[in-house]
Coordinates of all heavy atoms in Angstrom, one line a residue:
D27 N 121.3 74.9 94.6 CA 120.9 74.0 95.7 C 121.2 72.5 95.5 O 121.4 71.8 96.4 CB 119.5 74.2 96.1 CG 119.3 75.4 97.1 OD1 120.1 76.3 97.1 OD2 118.3 75.4 97.7
R28 N 121.1 72.1 94.2 CA 121.2 70.7 93.9 C 122.6 70.3 93.5 O 122.9 69.2 93.2 CB 120.2 70.4 92.8 CG 118.8 70.5 93.3 CD 117.9 70.1 92.2 NE 117.6 71.4 91.4 CZ 116.8 71.5 90.4 NH1 116.2 70.5 89.9 NH2 116.6 72.7 89.8
S29 N 123.6 71.2 93.5 CA 124.9 70.9 93.2 C 125.6 70.3 94.3 O 125.3 70.5 95.5 CB 125.7 72.1 92.7 OG 125.7 73.1 93.7
P30 N 126.6 69.4 94.0 CA 127.3 68.7 95.1 C 128.1 69.7 95.9 O 128.5 70.8 95.4 CB 128.2 67.7 94.4 CG 128.0 67.9 93.0 CD 127.0 68.9 92.7
A31 N 128.4 69.4 97.2 CA 129.2 70.3 98.0 C 130.5 70.5 97.4 O 131.2 69.6 96.9 CB 129.4 69.6 99.4
G32 N 130.9 71.8 97.4 CA 132.2 72.2 96.8 C 132.2 72.4 95.3 O 133.2 72.8 94.7
A33 N 131.1 72.2 94.6 CA 131.0 72.4 93.2 C 131.0 73.9 92.9 O 130.5 74.7 93.7 CB 129.7 71.8 92.6
Q34 N 131.7 74.3 91.9 CA 131.8 75.7 91.5 C 130.8 75.9 90.4 O 130.9 75.3 89.3 CB 133.3 76.0 91.0 CG 134.3 75.8 92.0 CD 134.0 76.6 93.3 OE1 133.9 77.8 93.2 NE2 134.0 75.9 94.4
V35 N 129.9 76.8 90.6 CA 128.8 77.1 89.7 C 128.9 78.6 89.2 O 129.0 79.5 90.1 CB 127.4 76.8 90.3 CG1 126.3 77.1 89.4 CG2 127.4 75.4 90.8
F36 N 128.8 78.8 87.9 CA 128.6 80.2 87.5 C 127.8 80.1 86.2 O 127.7 79.1 85.5 CB 129.9 80.9 87.4 CG 130.9 80.5 86.4 CD1 131.0 81.1 85.1 CD2 131.7 79.4 86.6 CE1 132.0 80.7 84.2 CE2 132.7 79.0 85.7 CZ 132.8 79.7 84.5
L37 N 127.2 81.2 85.9 CA 126.3 81.4 84.7 C 127.0 82.0 83.5 O 127.6 83.0 83.7 CB 125.1 82.2 85.2 CG 124.0 82.5 84.2 CD1 123.3 81.2 83.8 CD2 123.0 83.5 84.8
V38 N 126.9 81.4 82.4 CA 127.5 81.9 81.2 C 126.4 82.2 80.2 O 125.6 81.4 79.8 CB 128.4 80.8 80.5 CG1 129.0 81.4 79.2 CG2 129.5 80.4 81.5
G39 N 126.3 83.5 79.8 CA 125.4 84.0 78.8 C 126.1 83.9 77.4 O 127.3 84.3 77.3
T40 N 125.4 83.3 76.5 CA 126.1 83.2 75.1 C 125.3 84.0 74.1 O 124.3 84.6 74.4 CB 126.0 81.7 74.7 OG1 124.7 81.2 74.6 CG2 126.8 80.8 75.7
K41 N 125.9 84.0 72.9 CA 125.3 84.7 71.7 C 125.2 86.2 72.0 O 124.2 86.8 71.6 CB 123.9 84.1 71.4 CG 124.0 82.6 71.0 CD 122.8 82.1 70.4 CE 122.8 80.7 70.0 NZ 123.7 80.3 68.9
T42 N 126.2 86.8 72.6 CA 126.2 88.2 72.9 C 126.3 89.0 71.6 O 126.1 90.2 71.6 CB 127.3 88.6 73.8 OG1 128.6 88.2 73.3 CG2 127.1 88.0 75.2
D43 N 126.6 88.3 70.5 CA 126.7 89.0 69.2 C 125.3 89.3 68.6 O 125.2 90.1 67.7 CB 127.5 88.1 68.2 CG 126.9 86.7 68.1 OD1 127.2 85.9 69.0 OD2 126.2 86.4 67.1
L44 N 124.3 88.6 69.1 CA 122.9 88.9 68.6 C 122.3 90.2 69.2 O 122.7 90.6 70.3 CB 122.0 87.7 69.0 CG 122.2 86.4 68.4 CD1 121.3 85.3 69.0 CD2 122.2 86.4 66.9
P45 N 121.4 90.8 68.4 CA 120.8 92.0 69.0 C 120.0 91.7 70.2 O 119.5 90.5 70.4 CB 119.8 92.4 67.9 CG 120.3 91.7 66.6 CD 121.0 90.5 67.1
R46 N 119.9 92.6 71.2 CA 119.2 92.4 72.4 C 117.8 91.9 72.3 O 117.3 91.1 73.1 CB 119.2 93.6 73.3 CG 120.6 94.0 73.7 CD 120.6 94.6 75.1 NE 121.9 95.0 75.6 CZ 122.8 94.3 76.2 NH1 122.5 93.0 76.4 NH2 123.9 94.8 76.5
W47 N 117.1 92.3 71.3 CA 115.7 92.0 71.1 C 115.5 90.5 70.7 O 114.5 89.9 70.8 CB 115.0 92.9 70.1 CG 115.6 93.0 68.7 CD1 116.5 93.9 68.3 CD2 115.4 92.1 67.6 NE1 116.9 93.6 67.0 CE2 116.2 92.6 66.5 CE3 114.5 91.0 67.4 CZ2 116.2 92.0 65.3 CZ3 114.6 90.4 66.1 CH2 115.4 90.9 65.1
E48 N 116.6 89.8 70.3 CA 116.6 88.4 70.0 C 116.9 87.5 71.2 O 116.7 86.3 71.1 CB 117.6 88.1 68.8 CG 117.1 88.6 67.5 CD 118.0 88.0 66.4 OE1 118.3 86.8 66.4 OE2 118.2 88.8 65.4
H49 N 117.2 88.1 72.3 CA 117.5 87.3 73.5 C 116.2 86.9 74.2 O 115.3 87.6 74.2 CB 118.4 88.1 74.5 CG 119.8 88.3 74.0 ND1 120.9 88.3 74.8 CD2 120.3 88.6 72.7 CE1 122.0 88.5 74.1 NE2 121.6 88.7 72.8
S50 N 116.2 85.7 74.8 CA 115.0 85.2 75.5 C 114.8 85.9 76.8 O 113.7 86.0 77.2 CB 115.2 83.7 75.7 OG 115.3 83.0 74.5
V51 N 115.9 86.3 77.5 CA 115.8 87.0 78.7 C 116.6 88.3 78.7 O 117.5 88.4 77.9 CB 116.2 86.2 79.9 CG1 115.3 85.0 80.2 CG2 117.6 85.7 79.7
S52 N 116.2 89.3 79.5 CA 116.9 90.6 79.5 C 118.2 90.5 80.3 O 118.3 89.6 81.2 CB 116.0 91.7 80.0 OG 115.9 91.5 81.4
Q53 N 119.1 91.4 80.0 CA 120.4 91.4 80.8 C 120.0 91.6 82.3 O 120.7 91.1 83.2 CB 121.2 92.6 80.3 CG 122.6 92.7 81.0 CD 123.6 91.7 80.5 OE1 123.3 90.8 79.7 NE2 124.8 91.8 81.0
G54 N 119.1 92.5 82.6 CA 118.7 92.7 84.0 C 118.2 91.5 84.7 O 118.5 91.3 85.8
E55 N 117.4 90.7 84.0 CA 116.9 89.4 84.6 C 118.1 88.5 84.9 O 118.1 87.8 85.9 CB 115.9 88.7 83.6 CG 114.6 89.4 83.5 CD 113.7 88.8 82.4 OE1 114.1 88.8 81.2 OE2 112.7 88.2 82.8
V56 N 119.0 88.4 84.0 CA 120.2 87.5 84.2 C 121.0 88.0 85.4 O 121.3 87.2 86.2 CB 121.1 87.5 82.9 CG1 122.4 86.8 83.1 CG2 120.3 86.9 81.7
L57 N 121.3 89.3 85.4 CA 122.0 89.8 86.5 C 121.3 89.6 87.9 O 121.9 89.3 88.9 CB 122.4 91.3 86.3 CG 123.3 91.6 85.1 CD1 123.4 93.1 84.9 CD2 124.7 90.9 85.3
Q58 N 120.0 89.8 87.9 CA 119.2 89.6 89.1 C 119.3 88.2 89.5 O 119.4 87.9 90.7 CB 117.8 90.1 88.9 CG 116.9 90.0 90.1 CD 115.5 90.4 89.9 OE1 115.1 90.6 88.7 NE2 114.7 90.6 90.9
Y59 N 119.1 87.3 88.6 CA 119.2 85.8 88.9 C 120.5 85.4 89.5 O 120.6 84.8 90.5 CB 118.9 85.0 87.6 CG 119.0 83.5 87.9 CD1 117.9 82.8 88.4 CD2 120.1 82.8 87.6 CE1 118.0 81.5 88.7 CE2 120.2 81.4 87.9 CZ 119.1 80.8 88.4 OH 119.2 79.4 88.7
A60 N 121.6 85.9 88.8 CA 122.9 85.6 89.3 C 123.2 86.1 90.7 O 123.7 85.4 91.6 CB 124.0 86.1 88.3
D61 N 122.7 87.4 90.9 CA 122.9 88.0 92.2 C 122.1 87.3 93.3 O 122.6 87.0 94.4 CB 122.5 89.5 92.1 CG 122.9 90.2 93.4 OD1 124.0 90.1 93.9 OD2 122.0 90.9 93.9
S62 N 120.9 87.0 93.0 CA 120.0 86.4 94.0 C 120.4 84.9 94.3 O 120.1 84.4 95.4 CB 118.5 86.4 93.6 OG 118.3 85.6 92.4
N63 N 121.2 84.3 93.4 CA 121.7 82.9 93.6 C 123.1 82.9 94.0 O 123.7 81.8 94.1 CB 121.4 82.1 92.4 CG 119.9 81.8 92.3 OD1 119.4 80.9 93.0 ND2 119.2 82.5 91.4
N64 N 123.7 84.1 94.2 CA 125.1 84.2 94.6 C 126.1 83.5 93.7 O 126.9 82.7 94.1 CB 125.3 83.8 96.1 CG 126.6 84.3 96.6 OD1 127.0 85.4 96.2 ND2 127.1 83.6 97.6
I65 N 125.9 83.6 92.4 CA 126.8 83.0 91.4 C 127.3 84.0 90.5 O 126.7 85.1 90.2 CB 126.0 81.9 90.6 CG1 124.8 82.4 89.9 CG2 125.7 80.7 91.5 CD1 124.1 81.4 89.0
K66 N 128.5 83.8 90.0 CA 129.2 84.7 89.0 C 128.5 84.5 87.7 O 128.2 83.5 87.2 CB 130.7 84.3 89.0 CG 131.5 85.3 88.1 CD 132.9 85.0 88.3 CE 133.8 85.9 87.4 NZ 133.7 87.3 87.8
Y67 N 128.5 85.7 87.0 CA 127.9 85.7 85.6 C 128.9 86.3 84.6 O 129.6 87.3 84.9 CB 126.6 86.6 85.6 CG 126.2 86.9 84.1 CD1 125.7 85.8 83.3 CD2 126.3 88.1 83.6 CE1 125.2 86.1 82.0 CE2 125.9 88.4 82.3 CZ 125.3 87.4 81.5 OH 124.9 87.6 80.3
V68 N 129.2 85.6 83.5 CA 130.0 86.1 82.4 C 129.3 85.8 81.1 O 128.4 84.9 81.0 CB 131.4 85.4 82.4 CG1 132.2 85.8 83.6 CG2 131.3 83.9 82.4
S69 N 129.6 86.6 80.1 CA 128.9 86.4 78.8 C 130.0 86.4 77.7 O 131.1 86.9 77.9 CB 127.9 87.5 78.6 OG 128.6 88.8 78.6
C70 N 129.6 85.7 76.6 CA 130.5 85.6 75.5 C 129.7 85.3 74.2 O 128.5 85.1 74.2 CB 131.4 84.4 75.7 SG 130.7 82.8 75.7
S71 N 130.5 85.4 73.1 CA 130.0 85.0 71.8 C 131.0 84.1 71.2 O 132.1 84.4 70.9 CB 129.9 86.2 70.9 OG 129.7 85.8 69.5
A72 N 130.6 82.8 70.9 CA 131.5 81.9 70.3 C 131.7 82.3 68.8 O 132.7 82.0 68.2 CB 130.9 80.5 70.3
K73 N 130.7 83.0 68.2 CA 130.8 83.4 66.8 C 131.9 84.4 66.6 O 132.7 84.3 65.7 CB 129.5 84.0 66.4 CG 129.4 84.4 64.9 CD 128.1 84.9 64.5 CE 128.0 85.2 63.1 NZ 126.6 85.7 62.7
T74 N 132.0 85.4 67.5 CA 133.0 86.5 67.3 C 134.2 86.2 68.2 O 135.2 86.9 68.0 CB 132.4 87.9 67.7 OG1 132.1 87.9 69.1 CG2 131.1 88.2 66.9
G75 N 134.1 85.4 69.2 CA 135.1 85.1 70.1 C 135.2 86.1 71.3 O 136.0 85.9 72.2
Q76 N 134.3 87.1 71.3 CA 134.2 88.1 72.4 C 133.9 87.4 73.7 O 132.9 86.8 73.8 CB 133.2 89.2 72.0 CG 133.1 90.2 73.1 CD 132.0 91.2 72.8 OE1 131.2 91.0 71.9 NE2 131.9 92.3 73.6
G77 N 134.7 87.6 74.7 CA 134.5 87.1 76.0 C 134.8 85.7 76.3 O 134.7 85.2 77.4
V78 N 135.1 84.9 75.3 CA 135.3 83.5 75.4 C 136.5 83.2 76.4 O 136.4 82.4 77.3 CB 135.6 82.7 74.1 CG1 136.0 81.3 74.3 CG2 134.3 82.8 73.2
E79 N 137.6 83.9 76.2 CA 138.7 83.8 77.1 C 138.4 84.2 78.5 O 138.8 83.5 79.5 CB 139.9 84.6 76.6 CG 141.2 84.4 77.4 CD 142.4 85.1 76.8 OE1 142.4 85.3 75.6 OE2 143.3 85.5 77.6
Q80 N 137.6 85.2 78.7 CA 137.1 85.6 80.0 C 136.3 84.6 80.7 O 136.4 84.4 81.9 CB 136.4 86.9 80.0 CG 137.2 88.1 79.6 CD 137.5 88.3 78.1 OE1 137.1 87.5 77.3 NE2 138.2 89.4 77.8
V81 N 135.5 83.8 80.0 CA 134.7 82.7 80.6 C 135.7 81.7 81.2 O 135.5 81.3 82.3 CB 133.8 82.0 79.5 CG1 133.2 80.7 80.0 CG2 132.8 83.0 79.0
F82 N 136.7 81.3 80.5 CA 137.6 80.3 81.0 C 138.5 80.9 82.1 O 138.8 80.2 83.1 CB 138.5 79.7 79.9 CG 137.7 78.8 79.0 CD1 137.2 79.2 77.8 CD2 137.5 77.5 79.3 CE1 136.5 78.4 76.9 CE2 136.8 76.6 78.5 CZ 136.2 77.1 77.3
E83 N 138.9 82.1 82.0 CA 139.6 82.8 83.1 C 138.8 82.8 84.4 O 139.3 82.6 85.5 CB 140.1 84.2 82.7 CG 141.2 84.2 81.7 CD 142.5 83.5 82.3 OE1 142.8 83.7 83.5 OE2 143.2 82.8 81.5
A84 N 137.5 83.2 84.2 CA 136.6 83.2 85.4 C 136.5 81.9 86.0 O 136.5 81.7 87.3 CB 135.2 83.8 85.0
A85 N 136.3 80.8 85.2 CA 136.2 79.5 85.7 C 137.5 79.1 86.5 O 137.5 78.5 87.6 CB 135.9 78.5 84.6
K86 N 138.7 79.3 85.8 CA 139.9 79.0 86.4 C 140.1 79.7 87.8 O 140.5 79.1 88.8 CB 141.1 79.4 85.5 CG 142.5 79.1 86.1 CD 143.5 79.5 85.1 CE 143.8 81.0 85.3 NZ 144.9 81.5 84.6
S87 N 139.8 81.0 87.8 CA 140.0 81.8 89.0 C 139.1 81.3 90.1 O 139.5 81.2 91.3 CB 139.7 83.3 88.7 OG 140.6 83.8 87.8
Q88 N 137.9 81.0 89.8 CA 136.9 80.5 90.8 C 137.4 79.2 91.4 O 137.3 79.0 92.6 CB 135.5 80.5 90.2 CG 134.5 80.2 91.3 CD 133.1 80.5 90.7 OE1 132.9 81.4 89.9 NE2 132.1 79.7 91.2
I89 N 137.8 78.3 90.5 CA 138.3 77.0 91.0 C 139.5 77.1 91.9 O 139.6 76.6 92.9 CB 138.6 76.1 89.8 CG1 137.2 75.7 89.1 CG2 139.3 74.8 90.2 CD1 137.4 75.0 87.8
L90 N 140.5 77.9 91.4 CA 141.7 78.1 92.2 C 141.4 78.8 93.5 O 142.0 78.4 94.6 CB 142.7 78.9 91.4 CG 143.3 78.2 90.2 CD1 144.3 79.2 89.4 CD2 144.1 77.0 90.6
E91 N 140.5 79.8 93.5 CA 140.2 80.5 94.8 C 139.5 79.5 95.7 O 139.8 79.5 96.9 CB 139.2 81.6 94.4 CG 138.8 82.4 95.6 CD 137.9 83.6 95.3 OE1 138.3 84.4 94.4 OE2 136.8 83.6 95.8
S92 N 138.7 78.6 95.2 CA 138.0 77.7 96.1 C 138.9 76.6 96.7 O 138.7 76.1 97.8 CB 136.9 77.0 95.4 OG 137.4 76.0 94.5
R93 N 140.0 76.4 96.0 CA 141.0 75.4 96.5 C 142.1 75.9 97.3 O 142.9 75.2 97.9 CB 141.6 74.6 95.3 CG 140.5 73.8 94.6 CD 141.1 73.0 93.5 NE 140.0 72.2 92.9 CZ 140.2 71.1 92.3 NH1 141.4 70.6 92.2 NH2 139.2 70.4 91.8
A94 N 142.2 77.3 97.4 CA 143.3 77.9 98.2 C 143.1 77.6 99.6 O 141.9 77.6 100.1 CB 143.2 79.4 97.9
P95 N 144.1 77.3 100.3 CA 144.0 77.0 101.8 C 143.5 78.3 102.5 O 143.8 79.4 102.2 CB 145.4 76.7 102.2 CG 146.3 77.2 101.2 CD 145.5 77.3 99.9
K96 N 142.5 78.0 103.4 CA 142.0 79.1 104.2 C 142.9 79.4 105.4 O 143.0 78.5 106.2 CB 140.5 78.7 104.7 CG 139.6 78.3 103.6 CD 139.3 79.4 102.6 CE 138.3 79.0 101.6 NZ 138.5 79.3 100.3
V97 N 143.5 80.5 105.3 CA 144.4 80.9 106.4 C 143.8 81.9 107.2 O 143.3 82.9 106.7 CB 145.7 81.4 105.8 CG1 146.7 81.8 106.9 CG2 146.4 80.4 104.9
K98 N 143.8 81.7 108.5 CA 143.2 82.6 109.5 C 144.2 83.8 109.6 O 145.4 83.6 109.7 CB 143.0 82.0 110.8 CG 141.9 81.0 110.8 CD 141.7 80.4 112.2 CE 140.7 79.3 112.2 NZ 140.5 78.8 113.5
P99 N 143.7 85.0 109.5 CA 144.6 86.2 109.7 C 145.2 86.2 111.0 O 144.6 85.9 112.0 CB 143.7 87.4 109.4 CG 142.3 86.9 109.6 CD 142.3 85.4 109.4
V100 N 146.4 86.6 111.1 CA 147.2 86.7 112.3 C 147.5 88.1 112.6 O 148.0 88.8 111.7 CB 148.5 85.9 112.3 CG1 149.3 86.0 113.5 CG2 148.2 84.4 112.0
M101 N 147.2 88.6 113.8 CA 147.4 90.0 114.1 C 148.9 90.1 114.5 O 149.4 89.3 115.4 CB 146.5 90.5 115.2 CG 146.7 92.0 115.5 SD 145.6 92.5 116.8 CE 144.1 92.6 115.8
T102 N 149.6 91.0 113.9 CA 151.0 91.2 114.3 C 151.2 92.7 114.6 O 150.5 93.5 114.2 CB 152.0 90.8 113.2 OG1 151.7 91.6 112.0 CG2 151.8 89.4 112.8
A103 N 152.2 92.9 115.4 CA 152.6 94.3 115.8 C 154.1 94.4 115.8 O 154.8 93.5 116.2 CB 152.0 94.6 117.2
V104 N 154.6 95.5 115.3 CA 156.0 95.8 115.4 C 156.2 96.8 116.5 O 155.6 97.9 116.5 CB 156.5 96.3 114.0 CG1 158.0 96.7 114.1 CG2 156.2 95.3 112.9
V105 N 157.1 96.5 117.4 CA 157.4 97.3 118.5 C 158.9 97.7 118.4 O 159.7 96.8 118.4 CB 157.0 96.7 119.8 CG1 157.4 97.6 121.0 CG2 155.6 96.3 119.9
E106 N 159.2 98.9 118.5 CA 160.5 99.4 118.5 C 160.9 99.7 119.9 O 160.3 100.4 120.6 CB 160.7 100.7 117.7 CG 162.1 101.1 117.6 CD 162.3 102.3 116.7 OE1 161.4 102.5 115.7 OE2 163.1 103.1 116.9
V107 N 162.0 99.0 120.4 CA 162.5 99.2 121.7 C 163.8 100.0 121.7 O 164.7 99.7 121.0 CB 162.7 97.9 122.4 CG1 163.3 98.1 123.8 CG2 161.5 97.1 122.5
R108 N 163.8 101.2 122.4 CA 165.0 102.0 122.4 C 165.6 102.0 123.8 O 164.9 102.0 124.8 CB 164.7 103.4 122.0 CG 164.2 103.6 120.6 CD 164.0 105.0 120.2 NE 163.5 105.1 118.9 CZ 163.7 106.1 118.1 NH1 164.3 107.2 118.6 NH2 163.2 106.1 116.9
R109 N 166.9 102.0 123.9 CA 167.5 102.0 125.2 C 168.4 103.2 125.4 O 168.9 103.8 124.6 CB 168.4 100.8 125.4 CG 167.6 99.5 125.5 CD 168.5 98.4 125.7 NE 167.7 97.2 125.6 CZ 167.9 96.1 126.2 NH1 168.9 96.0 127.1 NH2 167.1 95.1 126.1

């Protein structure tokens, strides 16, 4: 709610290399928060490198998608005329 208009926001969970019992919040809580706030969630581990590329790919995709021109769909029909 406090982000500027047009800002792209998503949630990144880190330290996925740690055991689940060492995490401050559960995976379920994170997914529920992301879903209820309509934001994308990705996770990674900087230590192992797992998911790091996906974090940047998700950011890139979301930014590019938001900047794509909004084109209204046009209904077309193909009619074959025989004489």
Side-chain angles (χ1 to χ4, degrees):
D27 273 24
R28 293 179 272 180
S29 59
Q34 299 302 305
V35 179
F36 66 101
L37 181 62
V38 179
T40 60
K41 301 192 181 287
T42 57
D43 55 282
L44 293 178
R46 293 217 184 270
W47 56 268
E48 288 191 39
H49 290 218
S50 300
V51 293
S52 72
Q53 182 79 359
E55 289 174 297
V56 172
L57 294 173
Q58 182 180 12
Y59 178 84
D61 187 50
S62 66
N63 288 281
N64 198 31
I65 55 177
K66 184 170 179 68
Y67 168 69
V68 289
S69 60
C70 68
S71 167
K73 183 177 181 179
T74 67
Q76 178 186 9
V78 173
E79 188 173 330
Q80 288 82 357
V81 169
F82 288 98
E83 285 297 322
K86 178 183 82 172
S87 295
Q88 190 165 326
I89 290 167
L90 291 176
E91 183 180 301
S92 73
R93 293 181 180 209
K96 305 295 184 225
V97 179
K98 293 181 181 180
V100 176
M101 184 177 286
T102 61
V104 177
V105 178
E106 183 177 331
V107 177
R108 293 184 185 205
R109 291 182 187 212

